[in-house]
Amino acid sequence: VQLQASGGGLVQAGESLRLSCAASGRILTLNDMGWYRQAPGKQRESVATITSGGRITYADSVKGRFTISRDNSKKTVYLQMNSLKPEDTAVYYCNVEYLSGTSYDIRTKWGQGTQVTVSS
């Protein structure tokens, strides 16, 4: 199973970006999907998660600005980021929990990370 993340970049404060993370490989079902970020010198933190049933959680710091969504038919999770702030600068990672079509057990996979830089 592979995760391909895209959509990062350099923007100015107040602008928007949309991250995408597409899963491929032998996946029977997708469970929880989420976005995490890690800024220099800081620990990785959860940004937003969405369950297979559509339950969503956001970090307090992004509530009202970020929106997570998923398209199961495309095995893709998205993160729409609006009103970006310099403190949102980090490497963003997607994470997917899935039922493997190879080993028939629950596994998780991290994407490769995509850099988001917000200038003031």
Side-chain angles (χ1 to χ4, degrees), residues 68-104:
I68 189 171
S69 61
R70 59 192 285 169
D71 185 334
N72 292 327
S73 67
K74 296 181 179 180
K75 298 180 183 175
T76 300
V77 61
Y78 305 96
L79 186 67
Q80 177 66 44
M81 304 185 293
N82 299 329
S83 302
L84 282 160
K85 304 176 181 180
E87 51 264 44
D88 294 318
T89 296
V91 178
Y92 284 69
Y93 298 89
C94 57
N95 179 271
V96 171
E97 182 184 271
Y98 62 96
L99 176 61
S100 170
T102 302
S103 58
Y104 300 97

Side-chain angles (χ1 to χ4, degrees), residues 21-85:
C21 178
S24 61
R26 300 194 65 178
I27 297 171
L28 293 180
T29 60
L30 285 169
N31 295 340
D32 295 355
M33 306 177 83
W35 288 95
Y36 298 74
R37 67 187 181 188
Q38 187 167 18
K42 295 187 177 181
Q43 290 188 330
R44 190 173 298 187
E45 64 175 355
S46 175
V47 176
T49 62
I50 181 168
T51 69
S52 57
R55 182 184 305 170
I56 292 173
T57 59
Y58 293 106
D60 288 343
S61 59
V62 307
K63 283 181 180 177
R65 299 187 299 121
F66 290 11
T67 302
I68 189 171
S69 61
R70 59 192 285 169
D71 185 334
N72 292 327
S73 67
K74 296 181 179 180
K75 298 180 183 175
T76 300
V77 61
Y78 305 96
L79 186 67
Q80 177 66 44
M81 304 185 293
N82 299 329
S83 302
L84 282 160
K85 304 176 181 180

